[in-house]
């Protein structure tokens, strides 16, 4: 994982009330996850100052000309209309989310990883897939599809072809995940350690592994914390940071 610190994106203290979600994996319009996420935006998120979406908002996104999810895009735009700043990281499913999507949804696209300030503390935000270094096959694929040349060529294909290829890739990824031991699909402890050491942050927040938890550890004698967000397949998950206190929250469905 690239570990150089990006410029802080908020002023010294940062917002006092932020929410974080990841891996909402929105698929079928009108589905249970979409209904729950829309409700979350219109109830919880609207009362916060800032919403961070740490990747994989969509199960699949093949380019900003994708006509999918107009209601979600509208609800995100409404949120920024209410003065809630909304930041977005790309995930491994929706790594083609771009500036045109962000303009429509009123979001700001951030690099991955990025360091933000919360309660005066620098916190590293990442989707988390780059930390799963034991999954060599996936890391190779990631390098391929994140290359600008590959993306340019892919985006010149007709929308229907891109959707077809994305469906094939998802089927391949599902069978790869099913065949791999669970340890391989989690973050590599050495990769996590290296990020803490290189960036000197004491806290990181990520998703991707679908293993929601708060992990406390020591790195170089310093107390560090890694907060993992949950996926929205069976229920909703979000992280609240209010006045420097973090709480991982469940939304039953
Ligand atoms: Mn992911």
């Amino acid at each position: 994982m690239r570990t150089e610190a990006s410029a802080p994106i908020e002023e010294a203290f940062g917002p006092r009330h932020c929410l974080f979600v990841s891996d909402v994996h929105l698929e079928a319009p009108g589905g249970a996850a979409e209904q729950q996420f829309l409700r979350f935006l219109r109830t919880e998120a609207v009362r916060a100052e800032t919403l961070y979406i740490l990747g994989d908002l969509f199960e699949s996104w093949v380019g900003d000309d994708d006509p999918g999810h107009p209601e979600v895009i509208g609800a995100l735009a409404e949120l920024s209309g209410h003065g809630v700043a909304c930041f977005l990281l790309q995930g491994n499913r929706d790594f083609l989310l771009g500036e045109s999507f962000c303009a429509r949804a009123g979001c700001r696209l951030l690099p991955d990883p990025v360091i933000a300030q919360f309660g005066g503390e620098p916190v590293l935000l990442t989707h988390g897939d780059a930390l799963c270094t034991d999954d060599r096959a996936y890391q190779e694929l990631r390098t391929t599809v994140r290359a600008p040349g590959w993306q340019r060529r892919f985006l010149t294909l007709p929308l229907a072809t891109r959707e077809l290829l994305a469906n094939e890739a998802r089927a391949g990824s599902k069978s790869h995940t099913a065949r791999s031991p669970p340890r391989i699909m989690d973050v590599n402890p050495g990769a996590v350690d290296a990020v803490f050491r290189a960036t000197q942050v004491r806290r990181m927040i990520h998703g991707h592994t679908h293993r929601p938890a708060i992990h406390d550890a020591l790195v170089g004698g310093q107390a560090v914390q890694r907060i993992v967000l949950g996926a929205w397949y069976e229920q909703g998950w979000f992280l609240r940071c209010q006045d420097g206190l973090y709480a991982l929250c469940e939304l039953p469905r």
Side-chain angles (χ1 to χ4, degrees), residues 226-246:
R226 180 170 65 91
I227 304 176
V228 188
L229 291 157
W232 284 53
Y233 286 129
E234 314 287 336
Q235 62 167 83
W237 289 92
F238 70 95
L239 175 72
R240 187 192 304 282
C241 168
Q242 197 159 16
D243 296 321
L245 295 176
Y246 289 81

Side-chain angles (χ1 to χ4, degrees), residues 23 25 56 91-93 127 129 207-210:
D23 304 279
H25 288 284
D56 286 356
N92 55 300
R93 304 277 188 178
H127 178 57
D129 55 324
H208 181 68
T209 59
H210 305 179

